[in-house]
């Protein structure tokens, strides 16, 4: 981001760097965006600002619908993935909506622009047998086993998991309180095996001298501090390698697996949507076509003329 700032500030007196910076602060303070997401938005905005400077040489606040369409065409010509283009357009929509809210402009040039439909891709997920292989790794660390269990048991994002505090766990009712995207709160069920793994992990940490107060982070690093996303990903990657699975997997793969297995076992899609914290049902529907193979087997076994 620093390189973009330097390049633009030297070459284009019209690019409103301060406006972009204020937009990023607004995302964090008012919209509850994570710092990582806000940083990604700023990178996209600086890229758009550079395009406007090099092709139009006008202020961002004076861009109209045609300029934004030219920018989208430019992105298509760069052979960017459609998902990347959709994200960049979403950033521009948020930026110009912000400019309207703050009275910098009176009309939003993106308001009537349709968002391209995403290409549907089959999400990578693990079979039930592969899950067993992952959880049966010998000598797996108690903390990492608990993290794996919770990711698969509740379908959490890794960012949601590392932010869980002790008080967010309800060991009696079997729920975890999660703060998802946009700081939206939801309650998600947790399985008995997962709860058992978390208890074993916490007892192990207490034996090392660490204490767990209600506001304490649930998952700790070796210094007794909250584990970071990077730390959790690095730890889990080692176990993914040891499991020798023939798939490129990540913590998010367990979220895909959670949703797929629930649907395969007959859970209704609305419940899966709620547990995943998806705003729109269409987001959850990426998992439904994965279950078509299961439906076909049921059909072939049950229909008299299949």
């Amino acid at each position: 981001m620093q390189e973009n700032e330097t390049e633009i500030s030297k070459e284009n007196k019209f690019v409103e760097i301060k406006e972009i910076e204020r937009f990023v602060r607004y995302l964090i303070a008012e919209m509850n965006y994570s710092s990582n997401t806000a940083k990604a938005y700023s990178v996209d905005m600086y890229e758009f600002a550079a395009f406007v400077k090099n092709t139009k040489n006008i202020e961002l606040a004076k861009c109209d619908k045609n300029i934004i369409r030219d920018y989208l065409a430019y992105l298509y010509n760069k052979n960017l993935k459609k998902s990347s283009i959709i994200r960049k357009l979403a950033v521009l929509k948020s930026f110009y909506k912000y400019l309207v809210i703050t009275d910098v402009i009176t009309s939003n040039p993106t308001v009537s622009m349709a968002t391209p439909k995403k290409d549907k891709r089959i999400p990578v997920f693990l079979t039930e047998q592969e899950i067993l292989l992952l959880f049966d790794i010998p000598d797996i660390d108690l903390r990492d086993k608990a993290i794996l269990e919770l990711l698969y048991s509740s379908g959490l994002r890794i960012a949601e998991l590392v932010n869980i505090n002790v008080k967010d766990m309800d060991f009696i009712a079997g729920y975890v309180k999660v703060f998802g995207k946009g700081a939206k709160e939801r309650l998600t069920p947790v399985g008995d095996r997962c709860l058992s793994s978390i208890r074993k992990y916490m007892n192990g940490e207490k034996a090392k001298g660490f204490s767990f107060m209600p506001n304490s982070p649930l998952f700790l690093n070796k210094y007794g501090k909250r584990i970071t996303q990077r730390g959790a990903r690095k730890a889990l990657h080692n176990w993914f390698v040891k499991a020798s699975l023939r798939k490129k997997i990540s913590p998010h793969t367990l979220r895909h697996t959670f949703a797929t297995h629930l649907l395969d076992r007959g859970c209704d899609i609305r419940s899966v949507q709620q547990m995943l914290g998806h705003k729109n049902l269409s987001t959850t529907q990426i998992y439904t076509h994965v279950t078509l193979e299961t439906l076909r087997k049921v059909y072939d076994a049950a229909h008299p003329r299949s």
Side-chain angles (χ1 to χ4, degrees), residues 14-15 27 41 49 52 54 58 62 81 100 149 163 166 169 190 195 208 240 243 262 269 272 276 278 283 287:
F14 297 113
V15 173
L27 293 176
Y41 271 47
V52 172
N54 293 331
I58 65 171
K62 294 182 179 179
K81 292 181 180 179
V100 172
E149 289 276 11
N163 285 319
V166 173
M169 293 295 308
V190 183
L195 292 173
K208 297 176 186 177
F240 293 153
L262 282 178
I269 192 170
V272 175
L276 291 174
H278 285 161
T283 308
Y287 301 106

Side-chain angles (χ1 to χ4, degrees), residues 88-226:
K88 291 177 185 296
L89 176 58
V91 171
L92 292 181
K93 286 189 173 186
S94 295
F95 177 71
Y96 283 103
K97 183 178 180 180
Y98 159 77
L99 292 186
V100 172
I101 292 172
T102 54
D103 296 324
V104 175
I105 59 177
T106 57
S107 178
N108 184 343
T110 69
V111 70
S112 62
M113 298 187 70
T115 300
K117 291 185 177 180
K118 288 184 179 180
D119 294 327
K120 291 186 177 181
R121 295 182 301 167
I122 298 177
V124 176
F125 66 97
L126 302 179
T127 65
E128 293 187 26
Q129 186 61 37
E130 287 170 330
I131 280 290
L132 292 177
L133 290 174
L134 181 60
F135 287 149
D136 286 342
I137 298 173
D139 303 321
I140 187 169
D141 180 81
L142 289 177
R143 182 203 64 188
D144 297 345
K145 176 70 176 296
I147 289 177
L148 286 172
E149 289 276 11
L150 188 52
L151 288 173
Y152 174 61
S153 178
S154 302
L156 306 187
R157 302 176 179 93
I158 192 69
E160 295 169 343
L161 182 139
V162 299
N163 285 319
I164 293 173
N165 291 330
V166 173
K167 66 180 181 181
D168 298 325
M169 293 295 308
D170 188 333
F171 288 95
I172 297 176
Y175 283 91
V176 59
K177 183 191 297 182
V178 180
F179 293 91
K181 290 184 176 180
K184 291 184 178 179
E185 179 183 314
R186 71 181 190 276
L187 290 175
T188 301
V190 183
D192 290 339
R193 289 186 180 182
C194 178
L195 292 173
S196 176
S197 289
I198 294 175
R199 287 192 187 97
K200 289 179 181 178
Y201 149 70
M202 293 178 71
N203 289 334
E205 294 300 292
K206 289 176 182 177
K208 297 176 186 177
F210 296 122
S211 61
F212 289 96
M213 303 300 290
N215 288 321
S216 299
L218 179 62
F219 293 109
L220 309 174
N221 60 22
K222 62 181 180 180
Y223 303 108
K225 305 294 184 181
R226 186 185 302 276

